[in-house]
């Protein structure tokens, strides 16, 4: 049932609140993000105005029967969509977040990633496992001005993430962290880092614990951003920890439960990545199809050739299937239903469709599609990461197969 009481409503039936968020984010992306996309990609740098805009942007919009805090009518905080209003957030639904990520990704996948990781991983971990004191302190910061970063991957622990070597040794009321991390999203802009470190390597992954580390902590160093193929405006940096002293009070949740928290957050995070890949692919498709209707060859529009029509129809069908998988997984989360298999399916399929869609769009546009004077090649470059991060495609297939095995 939807909030309007519609029985068995289609997956693309949105509440008033969800439509407001979708439209507001679309406007923000088109008016404020779009003019800076090319520059940010070229410079591998997110503009400060975009980060600031993600924390507070929006219009005064009418809303009938909205349950959100009235401040939502003035400003939609995209970095705090799911954070409760009492901590300064928007207090909207998980599905609203997925719609926001999709709309941002239609214009720029890097901006969508910044929003996605902040909400689905960083904010969610603190909301689910923080003490009331931690929530009051950190969620308020994350809702208004602070970018957060999730630190799990290392040089020797990518897909095998729980083989991490970063250690945290207890010394009185503190822990001393030593080690390094790689491929850390948002690191360049973040002030708060959720660091996974092992307090007892003899216990294996059951010693992994989550620590809240501030950017200015002595011994903590953020390395040079990686020079990447795509999502170039999203910072990805290595981190080093040399005798980093962290108070025991900065442990998030329970000692030794970090691996559980990581798994839980990444399961939801994969739906966010599915939305990012879906939006990216749709944005590329939306740019390319009008071109095929304008370009004349052999006396007629490219779109009038049946061979191209069939390709366009096939891609459009795959996009719709990816959207339904993604929306279904998001609705399952909201309904507190089992969603792990559906999240893996959505992330896997949307990533594959993004790669196919962007590749086809370059072919449909021909030479100009291959040129950096047009945005299609950037969509193509940005799409590749979808099959790699937050669980590579083969890891998603492993998860799906494991759950099917258990089902039968």
């Amino acid at each position: 049932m939807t909030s309007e009481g519609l029985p068995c409503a289609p997956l693309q039936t949105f509440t008033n609140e969800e439509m407001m968020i979708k439209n507001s984010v679309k406007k923000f992306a088109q008016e404020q993000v779009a003019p800076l996309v090319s520059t940010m990609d070229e410079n591998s740098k997110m503009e400060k105005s975009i980060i600031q805009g993600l924390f507070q942007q929006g219009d005064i919009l009418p809303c009938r029967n909205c349950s959100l805090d009235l401040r939502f009518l003035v400003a939609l905080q995209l970095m705090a969509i799911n954070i409760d209003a009492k901590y300064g957030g928007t207090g909207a639904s998980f599905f609203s977040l997925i719609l926001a990520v999709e709309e941002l990704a239609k214009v720029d996948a890097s901006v969508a990633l910044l929003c996605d990781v902040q909400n689905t991983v960083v904010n969610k971990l603190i909301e689910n496992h923080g003490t009331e004191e931690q929530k009051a302190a950190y969620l308020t910061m994350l809702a208004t001005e602070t970018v957060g970063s999730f630190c799990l991957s290392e040089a020797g622990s990518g897909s095998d993430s729980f083989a991490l070597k970063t250690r945290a040794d207890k010394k009185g009321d503190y822990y001393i962290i030593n080690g390094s991390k790689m491929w850390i999203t948002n690191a360049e802009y973040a002030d708060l880092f959720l660091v996974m470190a092992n307090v007892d390597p003899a216990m294996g992954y059951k010693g992994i614990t989550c620590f809240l580390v501030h950017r200015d902590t002595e011994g903590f160093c953020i390395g040079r951003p990686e020079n990447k193929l795509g999502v170039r405006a999203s910072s990805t940096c290595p981190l080093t920890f040399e005798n980093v002293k962290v108070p025991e009070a900065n442990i998030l949740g329970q000692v030794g439960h970090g691996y559980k928290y990581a798994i839980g957050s990444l399961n939801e995070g994969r739906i966010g990545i599915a939305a990012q890949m879906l939006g990216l692919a749709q944005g590329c498709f939306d740019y390319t199809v009008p071109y095929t209707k304008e370009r004349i060859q052999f006396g007629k529009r490219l779109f009038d050739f049946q061979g191209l029509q069939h390709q366009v129809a096939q891609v459009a069908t795959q996009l719709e299937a990816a959207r339904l998988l993604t929306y279904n997984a998001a609705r399952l989360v909201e309904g507190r239903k089992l969603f792990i298999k559906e999240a893996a399916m959505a992330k896997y399929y949307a990533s594959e469709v993004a790669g196919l869609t962007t590749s086809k769009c370059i072919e449909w546009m021909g030479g100009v599609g291959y040129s950096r004077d047009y945005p299609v090649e950037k969509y193509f470059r940005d799409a590749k990461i979808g099959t790699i991060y937050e669980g590579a495609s083969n890891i998603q297939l492993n998860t799906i197969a494991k759950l099917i095995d258990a089902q039968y």
Side-chain angles (χ1 to χ4, degrees), residues 330-346:
R331 290 298 191 197
L332 288 173
V333 170
E334 286 195 339
R336 299 185 182 279
K337 307 286 187 181
L338 294 176
F339 67 91
I340 296 175
K341 181 180 71 174
E342 288 77 9
M345 287 178 169

Side-chain angles (χ1 to χ4, degrees), residues 52-235:
Q52 293 169 352
L54 288 171
F55 278 105
Q56 186 167 355
Q57 67 85 20
D59 296 310
I60 299 177
L61 299 171
C63 179
R64 297 178 181 177
N65 303 319
C66 277
S67 62
L68 296 180
D69 189 290
L70 287 178
R71 288 174 300 149
F72 169 77
L73 300 181
V74 179
L76 169 62
Q77 294 146 298
L78 295 181
M79 297 293 270
I81 292 179
N82 298 145
I83 291 180
D84 193 287
K86 71 178 181 179
Y87 301 117
T90 300
S93 66
F94 181 76
F95 192 83
S96 296
L97 167 61
I98 294 306
L99 292 176
V101 172
E102 180 186 358
E103 288 300 322
L104 289 172
K106 288 178 181 178
V107 175
D108 187 55
S110 294
V111 176
L113 181 60
L114 176 62
C115 175
D116 173 52
V117 171
Q118 177 95 351
N119 283 282
T120 65
V121 181
V122 177
N123 295 349
K124 199 69 174 177
L125 276 169
I126 295 175
E127 178 186 1
N128 288 345
H129 308 293
T131 64
E132 187 53 44
E133 290 77 12
Q134 288 172 334
K135 291 179 184 179
Y138 293 110
L139 289 181
T140 302
M141 293 165 49
L142 291 163
T144 55
E145 61 182 1
T146 300
V147 175
S149 184
F150 178 66
C151 312
L152 177 63
S153 296
E154 299 181 2
S157 57
S159 292
D160 185 14
S161 56
F162 297 146
L164 61 85
K165 300 298 183 184
T166 298
R167 293 190 55 167
D169 298 309
K170 196 172 191 311
K171 302 291 183 181
D173 294 335
Y174 289 83
Y175 281 82
I176 307 298
I177 300 178
N178 283 283
S180 62
K181 299 289 181 180
M182 287 191 70
W183 314 116
I184 303 305
T185 301
N186 294 349
E188 186 178 4
Y189 318 119
D191 285 309
L192 179 66
F193 296 79
L194 277 62
V195 180
M196 294 294 176
N198 202 319
V199 300
D200 186 357
M203 296 182 65
Y205 67 88
K206 292 186 177 180
I208 297 174
T209 302
C210 186
F211 294 87
L212 298 165
V213 179
H214 294 265
R215 184 187 187 94
D216 59 358
T217 305
E218 185 178 356
F220 175 44
C221 179
I222 302 169
R224 185 177 64 183
E226 302 289 349
N227 186 14
K228 307 191 299 294
L229 171 72
V231 289
R232 291 173 58 81
S234 170
S235 77

Side-chain angles (χ1 to χ4, degrees), residues 284-334:
C284 188
F285 186 82
D286 291 346
Y287 183 89
T288 305
V289 171
Y291 176 87
T292 69
K293 297 175 68 176
E294 296 171 0
R295 173 74 167 166
I296 305 297
Q297 289 289 280
F298 304 102
K300 59 182 180 180
R301 305 179 308 169
L302 290 180
F303 193 86
D304 291 332
F305 290 90
Q306 188 181 62
L308 182 59
Q309 290 177 349
H310 288 179
Q311 292 181 48
V312 171
Q314 183 180 31
V315 168
T317 301
Q318 291 170 330
L319 281 169
E320 188 69 5
R323 177 169 292 105
L324 295 177
L325 282 169
T326 302
Y327 287 5
N328 180 59
R331 290 298 191 197
L332 288 173
V333 170
E334 286 195 339

Side-chain angles (χ1 to χ4, degrees), residues 240-293:
T240 56
F241 302 84
E242 295 184 4
N243 297 319
V244 173
K245 189 177 180 181
V246 180
E248 188 173 4
N250 280 30
I251 290 176
L252 184 65
Q254 299 181 46
V255 172
H257 284 216
Y259 74 98
K260 293 181 180 179
Y261 304 155
I263 291 172
S265 65
L266 290 176
N267 283 333
E268 289 193 19
R270 284 164 184 161
I271 306 174
I273 298 302
Q276 180 204 29
M277 290 294 111
L278 169 62
L280 180 160
Q282 188 67 59
C284 188
F285 186 82
D286 291 346
Y287 183 89
T288 305
V289 171
Y291 176 87
T292 69
K293 297 175 68 176

Side-chain angles (χ1 to χ4, degrees), residues 362-373:
I362 289 177
E363 293 175 16
W364 299 341
M365 291 190 66
V368 297
Y370 200 69
S371 167
R372 291 206 171 187
D373 292 333

